[in-house]
């Protein structure tokens, strides 16, 4: 179970002069309950890839298995709507999808579309609002009179209320300030730990990737060029250079120190405390003379 | 989907026609529509056809594009032609046709119209509606047949579909077809070879006399050009919202009317909000960059009137003179 | 130092209830690069809009280049201030790159020859010369922002405001814009005001102004401000990693100062390593 891609290809603008392969021979297996990051440059195919995960896009060739549903490329697949309930996809700037008069109604939109009764949908809306860390008195407010960060939380609650097993997030922290970004990431991590959701995160922010994701998938020109442990990737300088990838701030700092001082440090060091200790050791112990 | 967005109909290319001043092209294309109605006999129509053909063939635009722009209105053209056959009743009647041949013509016409309607609709409407369209097509087909056969079999009702074709009706119908094709070719040529921005600029220049009457010509032109510039952006945005709501289980192809209404609202409201936000931010940006409505502005784009433009205009005047002299 | 922007006792409210700008006093000097730092909702973008007269203050005075902002002077003041907004799409007015750079100049009724000259000059400055005839939907966000910068530069303004110009860009686009701002600073003939919540951007500025609840909390050099953990956290911001590492290393007596710039921290470690 989970999500599997088998030899998936996707052609963009098929049959026109602008035809372009957005995904090439993607093989991928994602098991339930994980925290996975997908990274790559703008135009590398990240968005196309995640839109296959809830069948918003269907492959030109190959097979995508989403939970118990199989989607075969180049064929007409029926009754795919139901997978969207189980794989919740949160687009970039999701606050733009809000349209109802009240927060409650907006959150209920998803559940109602999947045939949940009004009473149950209202219950789910309450629940979802809790998960995104908003007070219950938001329910009766207009979603359009909230701050940017609150609107985004409401939009995410709209997806959570469908009770998906998998939550796919496209740049969920874009445009927020540092505090808001941190809170947002904490929220997803909580959903991963406490609600046992599978989180698939598309982001440019390597600090968050380093902090939360155990597994990382790197896309480059429509192909998967790395799929494995996050810190193994960050420690692999050749790969980072080859695909012009960004590094977490701490790794950049480590490399800078290494180059200037001519010492060797462990590239997998992931906290400031550990880095300080490693430096003390490399520089011959703490300085008691002063 | 909306993957392949093309702004206007502009085709990249280069030829003498591309290099013409858009003002000349715009005014002459309009002028052509007026003077083509002066043509009323074979010699004037021949002249108009040769004239258009000469321009089209030397313009560097592949013929298939003209064919493509005529195709959508083929139905209209034939419809007009047949209406003309029914209602145009001067001149010598042609010998009446055999009743069976008559019927065959009518049936072929019915099938033809039905197929065209089907074809037109299935192209734009989602594939889920195809079965429905087939039902409608069949219905339309049967209706046309009944109507026409009625007119044939019971001569007392034949005032409407009296199946005697007059010679002039045939000739006139031919002229109508020709005229429509010529007009479409000339106007398509204008949009094929002129960038929307240049066309906007030409409109601004051509309408500039209206400024005397305080008509905001420059503002209108700026409005058109900004609208054109935002079409791809808004289409992209629509697609995003569509996908986002689909991810929330909205199904824009199935469901009953009540569900459909909510789903369409879920698309429209965000689009309105996004458009308003864009408009506001754009207005701010324009104001910050010193835009004051009504204030005189200079223009980076420049239109150059060359010698060839004179010749181009002169050729239309000559054509008009020819029409005046040779029309009957 | 010659003051170019002087703001005194400024108040503003969107809804006549909550003050978005609350008794704000600020002076910005000619040719300095000032970074206004604050979390979303701290009033920093409102300040930018007030500065160029897009919003009207409830109370208080704004003086730009010696002129007090009013109905009569607002157009003159806009001639002195170029601004690059947050959303790359919503400030691209022209139908091509060249048209967009020209838009501001067209408003100032600059002659066509002069416009062509300036476009040619500034499109090179922002390294977009290969895209002169491109339409906006074929450009990336970073490229659109570069065009917006060229458009602002072409108006030859004394002041250049960046209102969260990098917050919607990918890391590549962000780096391009930040490099460009640094180049403009080095050219030395503009006053640059950048509004941001990106501390890496703030680090490069001459002076950092921290805003909270519509007023200036404090101002000072990046080195002073960014290492003040209590202040930064209070304003919903984070201190740079270099500051955190400095604090740790200080415990071991390896360094004895708190460094904001990575270069300085690494240099200090290098010196320690040599002395040892």
């Amino acid at each position: 179970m989970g999500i599997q891609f088998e030899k998936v290809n996707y052609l963009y603008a098929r049959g026109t002069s602008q035809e372009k392969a957005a995904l090439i021979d993607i093989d991928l297996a994602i098991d339930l309950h994980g925290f996975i990051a997908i990274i790559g440059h703008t135009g590398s195919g990240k968005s196309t890839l995640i839109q296959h995960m809830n069948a918003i896009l269907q492959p030109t060739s190959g097979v995508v298995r989403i939970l118990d549903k199989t989607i075969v490329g180049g064929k007409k697949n029926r009754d795919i709507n139901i997978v969207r309930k189980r794989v919740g996809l949160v687009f970039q700037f999701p606050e733009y999808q809000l349209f109802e008069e009240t927060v409650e109604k907006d959150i209920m939109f998803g559940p109602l579309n999947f045939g949940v009764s009004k009473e149950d949908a209202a219950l789910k809306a309450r629940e979802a609002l809790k998960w995104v860390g908003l007070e219950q008195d938001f329910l009766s407010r207009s979603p359009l009179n909230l701050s940017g960060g609150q609107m985004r939380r409401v939009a995410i609650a709209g997806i959570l209320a469908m009770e998906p097993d998998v939550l796919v997030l496209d740049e969920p922290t874009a445009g927020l300030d540092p505090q808001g970004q941190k809170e947002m990431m904490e929220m997803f991590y909580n959903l991963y730990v406490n609600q046992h959701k599978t989180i698939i995160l598309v982001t440019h922010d390597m600090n968050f990737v380093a902090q939360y994701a155990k597994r990382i998938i790197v896309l480059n020109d429509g192909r998967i060029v790395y799929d494995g442990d996050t810190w193994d990737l960050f420690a692999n300088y050749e790969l980072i250079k080859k695909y012009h990838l960004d590094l977490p701030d701490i790794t950049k700092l480590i490399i800078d120190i290494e180059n200037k001082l001519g010492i060797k440090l462990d590239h997998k060091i992931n906290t400031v405390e550990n880095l300080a200790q490693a430096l003390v050791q490399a520089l011959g112990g703490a300085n008691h003379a002063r | 989907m909306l993957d392949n967005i093309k702004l206007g109909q502009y085709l990249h290319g280069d030829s003498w026609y591309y290099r013409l001043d858009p003002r000349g092209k715009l005014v002459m294309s309009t002028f052509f529509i007026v003077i083509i109605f002066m043509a009323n006999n074979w010699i004037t129509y021949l002249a108009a056809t040769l004239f258009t053909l000469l321009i089209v063939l030397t313009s560097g635009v592949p013929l298939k594009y003209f064919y493509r722009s005529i195709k959508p209105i083929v139905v209209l053209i034939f419809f007009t032609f047949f209406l003309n056959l029914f209602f145009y009743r001067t001149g010598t009647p042609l010998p009446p046709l055999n009743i069976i041949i008559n019927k065959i013509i009518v049936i072929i016409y019915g099938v033809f119209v039905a197929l065209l309607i089907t074809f037109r609709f299935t192209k734009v409407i989602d594939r889920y509606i195809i079965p429905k369209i087939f039902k409608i097509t069949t219905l339309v087909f049967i209706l046309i047949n009944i109507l026409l056969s009625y007119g044939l079999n019971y001569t007392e009702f034949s005032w409407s579909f009296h199946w005697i074709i007059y010679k002039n009706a045939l000739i006139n119908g031919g002229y109508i077809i020709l005229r429509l094709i010529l007009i479409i070719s000339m106007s398509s040529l204008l949009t094929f070879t002129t960038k929307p921005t240049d066309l906007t600029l030409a409109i601004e220049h051509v309408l500039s006399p209206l400024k005397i009457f305080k008509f905001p010509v420059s503002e209108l032109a700026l409005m058109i050009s900004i609208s054109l510039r935002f079409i791809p952006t808004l289409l992209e945005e629509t697609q995003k919202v569509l996908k986002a709501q689909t991810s929330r289980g909205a199904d824009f192809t199935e469901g009953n009317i009540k569900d459909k209404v909510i789903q369409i609202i879920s698309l429209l409201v965000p689009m309105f909000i996004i458009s308003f936000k864009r408009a506001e931010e754009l207005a701010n940006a324009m104001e910050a960059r010193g835009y004051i409505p009504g204030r005189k502005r200079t223009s980076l784009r420049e239109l150059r009137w060359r010698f060839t433009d004179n010749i181009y205009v002169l050729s239309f005047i000559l054509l008009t003179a020819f029409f005046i002299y040779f029309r009957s | 130092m010659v003051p170019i922007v002087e703001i005194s006792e400024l108040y503003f409210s969107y809804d006549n209830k909550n003050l978005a700008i609350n008794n704000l006093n600020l002076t910005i000097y000619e040719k300095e690069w000032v970074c206004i730092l604050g979390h979303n909702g701290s009033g920093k973008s409102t300040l930018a809009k007030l500065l160029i007269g897009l919003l009207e203050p409830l109370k208080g005075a704004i003086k730009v280049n010696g002129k007090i902002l009013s109905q009569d002077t607002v157009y003159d003041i806009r001639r002195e201030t170029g601004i690059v907004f947050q959303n790359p799409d919503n400030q691209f007015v022209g139908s091509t790159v060249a048209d967009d750079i020209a838009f501001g100049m067209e408003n100032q009724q600059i002659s066509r020859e002069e416009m062509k000259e300036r476009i040619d000059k500034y499109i090179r400055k922002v390294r977009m010369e290969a895209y002169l005839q491109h339409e906006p939907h074929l450009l990336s966000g970073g490229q659109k922002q570069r065009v917006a910068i060229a458009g602002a530069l072409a108006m030859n303004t004394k002041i250049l405001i960046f209102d969260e110009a990098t917050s919607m860009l990918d890391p590549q686009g962000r780096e391009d814009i930040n490099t460009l701002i640094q180049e403009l600073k080095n050219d030395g003939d503009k006053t640059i005001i950048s509004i941001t919540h990106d501390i890496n951007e703030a680090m490069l500025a001459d002076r950092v102004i921290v805003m909270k609840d519509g007023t200036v909390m404090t101002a000072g050099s990046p080195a002073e401000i960014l290492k003040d953990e209590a202040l930064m956290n209070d304003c919903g911001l984070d201190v740079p990693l270099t500051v955190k590492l400095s604090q740790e290393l200080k415990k071991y007596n390896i360094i004895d100062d708190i460094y904001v710039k990575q270069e300085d921290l690494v240099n200090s470690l290098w010196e320690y390593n040599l002395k040892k």
Side-chain angles (χ1 to χ4, degrees):
Chain A
M1 286 285 254
I3 302 174
Q4 280 103 37
F5 284 66
E6 284 162 31
K7 288 258 162 295
V8 168
N9 284 279
Y10 182 77
L11 285 177
Y12 172 85
R14 205 173 169 194
T16 70
S17 53
Q18 296 164 11
E19 183 176 292
K20 190 184 164 254
L23 293 180
I24 305 159
D25 288 338
I26 299 287
D27 280 310
L28 180 64
I30 293 170
D31 294 328
L32 286 185
H33 196 52
F35 200 121
I36 300 163
I38 300 177
I39 66 163
H41 293 282
T42 308
S44 60
K46 288 173 297 179
S47 295
T48 314
L49 180 72
I50 57 168
Q51 285 175 37
H52 278 78
M53 292 182 181
N54 76 341
I56 286 283
L57 292 179
Q58 296 183 26
T60 311
S61 70
V63 176
V64 181
R65 282 180 234 281
I66 306 167
L67 304 166
D68 48 7
K69 185 85 201 160
T70 304
I71 289 164
V72 183
K75 282 202 183 142
K76 201 172 161 181
N77 296 287
R78 290 188 173 278
D79 303 318
I80 46 173
N81 204 14
I82 197 70
V83 306
R84 294 177 189 143
K85 181 192 173 306
R86 302 186 58 191
V87 179
L89 177 53
V90 179
F91 281 88
Q92 203 175 356
F93 301 109
E95 51 272 31
Y96 288 134
Q97 75 196 28
L98 302 176
F99 71 100
E100 281 284 11
E101 304 137 58
T102 66
V103 167
E104 182 178 29
K105 274 192 184 174
D106 211 294
I107 301 178
M108 282 162 65
F109 179 68
L112 289 178
N113 280 330
F114 291 113
V116 172
S117 74
K118 260 207 163 123
E119 295 71 36
D120 284 353
L123 276 177
K124 283 176 204 273
R126 273 163 209 285
E127 194 75 357
L129 205 61
K130 255 185 249 162
W131 291 335
V132 298
L134 292 177
E135 298 297 323
Q136 296 293 315
D137 60 348
F138 273 87
L139 283 173
S140 55
R141 290 175 64 176
S142 161
L144 305 178
N145 288 335
L146 306 177
S147 78
Q150 289 165 343
M151 277 168 85
R152 189 166 300 180
R153 279 161 191 270
V154 170
I156 293 169
I159 301 288
L160 288 176
M162 307 184 324
E163 297 182 331
D165 302 315
V166 182
L167 196 59
V168 186
L169 305 151
D170 191 359
E171 295 273 356
T173 58
L176 298 178
D177 59 19
Q179 191 67 37
Q181 293 188 359
K182 236 197 263 175
E183 285 169 12
M184 193 63 74
M185 287 307 299
E186 280 300 319
M187 183 182 107
F188 297 135
Y189 194 68
N190 261 331
L191 287 167
Y192 162 65
V193 174
N194 299 330
Q195 304 292 329
H196 304 284
K197 306 278 184 208
T198 303
I199 307 280
I200 297 170
L201 171 75
V202 171
T203 185
H204 285 301
D205 193 318
M206 295 307 144
N207 294 326
F208 288 140
V209 172
Q211 196 179 346
Y212 295 105
K214 200 146 166 42
R215 175 176 167 195
I216 191 167
I217 295 162
V218 183
L219 275 171
N220 191 60
D221 285 337
R223 290 174 201 274
I224 291 181
V225 293
Y226 180 89
D227 180 357
D229 183 78
T230 304
W231 281 99
D232 281 347
L233 173 72
F234 291 145
N236 187 338
Y237 198 57
E238 277 86 60
L239 259 175
I240 296 287
K241 262 182 114 173
K242 187 174 172 196
Y243 297 113
H244 304 283
L245 301 176
D246 205 7
L247 282 170
D249 287 342
I250 192 158
T251 320
K252 282 191 224 164
L253 183 57
I254 291 171
I255 291 170
D256 226 16
I257 295 173
E258 279 187 339
N259 289 343
K260 179 85 187 180
L261 272 65
I263 55 171
K264 275 259 148 266
L265 291 167
D266 184 1
H267 282 203
K268 291 189 185 181
I269 292 173
N270 57 1
T271 64
V272 178
E273 291 78 19
N274 291 348
L275 176 56
Q277 274 163 21
L279 268 172
V280 170
Q281 243 168 30
L283 299 177
N287 191 350
H288 304 292
R290 281 190 269 177
Chain B
M1 291 235 223
L2 307 163
D3 278 346
N4 193 19
I5 304 158
K6 233 178 74 194
L7 240 194
Q9 288 185 294
Y10 180 74
L11 304 165
H12 282 277
D14 192 27
S15 72
W16 67 276
Y17 200 81
Y18 274 89
R19 288 188 291 268
L20 284 179
D21 191 305
R23 285 171 292 186
K25 279 198 269 189
L26 176 69
V27 174
M28 287 308 118
S29 299
T30 322
F31 185 60
F32 185 75
I33 297 172
V34 178
I35 59 167
I36 191 81
F37 282 93
M38 290 168 71
N40 61 357
N41 56 15
W42 70 270
I43 187 152
T44 41
Y45 266 104
L46 182 71
T49 313
L50 287 178
F51 183 81
T52 315
L53 216 57
L54 186 71
I55 294 178
V56 164
L57 290 177
T58 57
S59 69
V61 177
L63 281 178
K64 63 173 182 193
Y65 289 103
F66 293 96
Y67 169 68
R68 270 188 211 168
S69 55
I70 291 168
K71 210 168 69 178
I73 58 148
V74 164
V75 188
L76 184 75
I77 290 178
F78 276 91
F79 193 68
T80 328
F81 179 74
F82 277 95
L83 271 189
N84 203 59
L85 284 194
F86 289 132
F87 292 113
Y88 203 90
R89 336 186 101 208
T90 55
T92 15
L94 292 174
L97 292 167
N98 180 297
I99 197 92
I100 297 166
I101 297 174
N102 252 335
K103 242 197 141 97
I104 291 168
I105 291 175
V106 168
I107 290 168
I108 290 173
Y109 176 58
V111 173
F112 175 73
V113 170
L115 277 181
L116 278 175
I117 292 172
T118 316
F119 176 66
R120 278 292 294 153
F121 278 95
T122 45
K123 252 178 71 178
V124 274
I125 296 174
D126 200 88
R127 58 206 141 118
Y128 288 99
I129 306 178
I130 290 175
K132 244 184 239 170
I133 287 296
F134 266 114
K135 274 181 223 153
I136 296 171
T137 314
T138 325
L139 203 72
V140 170
F141 172 69
I142 291 167
L143 268 176
I144 289 173
N145 260 302
I146 291 173
L147 225 72
L148 291 183
S149 332
Y150 203 70
L152 289 171
N153 293 339
Y154 303 92
T155 34
E156 58 267 37
F157 285 104
S158 62
W159 57 270
S160 58
F161 296 106
H162 193 54
W163 201 243
I164 292 170
I165 298 173
Y166 290 80
K167 194 178 159 202
N168 279 9
L170 212 57
I171 294 170
N172 206 50
Y175 284 163
I176 288 174
I177 293 181
L178 195 58
R179 193 194 296 151
L180 281 172
I181 291 175
L182 292 183
I183 289 175
I184 290 162
S185 302
M186 280 304 267
S187 348
S188 304
L189 195 56
L190 174 70
T191 51
F192 286 157
T193 61
T194 321
K195 287 185 184 152
T197 41
D198 287 334
L199 208 54
T200 321
L201 203 57
I203 293 172
E204 185 178 352
H205 277 266
V206 170
L207 294 182
S208 60
L210 291 178
K211 280 181 187 165
I212 304 168
F213 308 107
K214 300 248 159 130
F215 186 77
V217 178
S218 314
E219 285 76 11
L220 182 76
L222 187 66
M223 224 165 73
I224 298 175
S225 97
I226 289 175
S227 313
L228 287 172
R229 174 245 170 283
F230 270 96
I231 289 172
T233 316
L234 285 175
L235 281 178
E236 216 173 276
E237 206 83 63
T238 313
Q239 179 126 32
K240 261 190 222 157
V241 177
L242 193 74
K243 281 180 176 174
Q245 305 300 29
T246 311
S247 293
R248 293 214 276 167
D251 192 335
F252 292 89
T253 51
E254 278 160 25
N256 58 34
I257 295 201
K258 196 180 152 233
D259 290 344
K260 273 241 155 62
V261 169
I262 295 176
Q263 273 144 12
I264 286 171
I265 289 173
S266 79
L267 186 62
L268 284 182
V269 172
M271 284 317 295
F272 267 115
I273 296 169
I274 290 168
S275 308
F276 276 122
K277 193 176 143 73
R278 277 195 192 287
E280 198 191 320
E281 286 185 11
L282 190 72
N284 273 343
M286 286 169 70
E287 220 182 301
R289 290 166 78 178
Y291 179 71
I292 306 162
R295 182 77 63 93
K296 196 173 161 2
R297 308 173 69 227
T298 46
S299 170
L300 173 71
R301 278 178 191 264
E302 158 182 42
L303 298 175
R304 278 223 187 94
W305 192 267
R306 293 191 184 80
F307 184 66
T308 26
D309 293 301
N310 287 329
I311 294 180
Y312 185 62
V313 171
L314 189 70
S315 69
F316 276 87
I317 295 171
L318 288 177
L319 184 69
T320 317
F322 186 91
F323 281 175
I324 293 171
Y325 190 79
F326 283 101
R327 75 194 294 263
S328 42
Chain C
M1 287 201 294
V2 188
I4 190 159
V5 177
E6 292 161 86
I7 301 169
S8 54
E9 290 170 33
L10 195 70
Y11 291 87
F12 177 79
S13 170
Y14 284 100
D15 53 6
N16 284 324
K17 273 192 296 196
N18 307 308
L19 288 171
I21 296 291
N22 188 357
N23 191 16
L24 185 132
N25 295 282
L26 179 63
T27 306
I28 292 167
Y29 300 97
E30 221 168 53
K31 292 173 190 171
E32 72 168 338
W33 175 3
V34 170
C35 183
I36 300 180
L37 205 56
H39 64 83
N40 288 354
S42 60
K44 54 192 195 310
S45 286
T46 308
L47 177 64
K49 288 201 181 103
L50 285 162
L51 257 180
I52 50 167
L54 287 175
L55 298 172
E56 218 179 310
L58 285 177
K59 239 183 5 184
I62 298 172
K63 209 163 149 191
V64 179
N65 203 21
K67 289 192 187 93
I68 291 178
L69 180 68
S70 72
Q71 290 286 353
D72 304 325
T73 58
V74 63
Y75 299 123
D76 294 333
I77 284 175
R78 282 182 193 154
R79 278 172 183 248
E80 307 290 352
T81 34
I83 183 163
V84 179
F85 290 101
Q86 179 180 25
N87 192 328
D89 254 320
N90 297 355
Q91 55 185 318
F92 205 111
V93 185
S95 32
T96 65
V97 169
D99 284 308
D100 190 64
I101 298 176
F103 181 76
M105 295 191 279
E106 288 175 336
N107 294 333
Q108 291 188 4
Q109 297 173 48
I110 289 164
S111 76
R112 184 172 293 136
E113 288 65 40
E114 175 74 25
M115 278 199 266
K116 281 187 175 155
E117 243 169 64
R118 290 200 205 168
I119 291 174
D120 193 55
K121 181 175 168 193
Y122 292 110
I123 194 127
R124 280 168 211 281
K125 178 95 206 159
V126 299
R127 292 179 281 277
M128 285 288 291
E129 56 268 35
Y131 300 89
L132 197 63
Q133 294 304 329
H134 273 60
E135 285 152 15
H137 65 275
L138 301 173
L139 304 177
S140 72
Q143 289 173 329
K144 279 179 213 163
Q145 288 304 65
R146 268 144 71 189
V147 174
I149 294 173
L153 289 175
M155 285 155 84
N156 281 339
T157 58
K158 284 194 169 167
I159 305 167
L160 210 50
I161 305 174
F162 294 89
D163 183 5
E164 297 198 50
T166 60
S167 76
M168 285 177 77
L169 306 182
D170 61 11
Q172 183 62 49
R174 198 169 299 171
E175 202 183 306
D176 288 347
I177 302 300
N178 282 341
T179 314
L180 213 72
I181 301 178
Q182 255 176 299
E183 281 175 27
L184 292 173
K185 163 68 192 166
N186 292 341
D187 292 348
D189 48 19
K190 301 246 184 244
T191 307
I192 300 170
I193 305 173
S194 59
I195 291 166
T196 185
H197 46 58
D198 182 356
I199 42 169
N200 292 320
E201 202 179 316
M203 228 180 263
L204 305 167
D206 297 330
R207 202 153 63 95
V208 176
I209 288 160
V210 183
M211 275 188 75
K212 195 195 170 193
D213 300 333
T215 194
V216 173
M217 285 284 282
T218 182
S221 71
E224 274 174 69
I225 303 283
L226 296 177
K227 70 181 173 199
D228 189 341
E229 200 164 1
L231 170 81
M232 296 292 279
N233 288 343
D234 186 37
C235 297
L237 300 163
D238 210 358
V239 293
L241 188 70
T242 45
V243 172
K244 289 182 192 160
L245 186 62
S246 303
Q247 286 166 348
E248 284 298 316
L249 290 173
K250 228 176 141 182
K251 288 183 197 162
Y252 298 102
N253 277 331
I254 285 182
I255 55 172
D256 36 32
D257 211 347
I258 301 286
Y259 296 97
V260 167
K261 281 198 179 147
Q262 188 154 323
E263 206 189 333
D264 299 340
L265 173 65
V266 175
N267 273 334
S268 158
L269 281 170
W270 179 67
E271 273 167 28
Y272 175 83
N273 199 25
L274 280 188
K275 269 189 276 173
K276 191 185 60 183

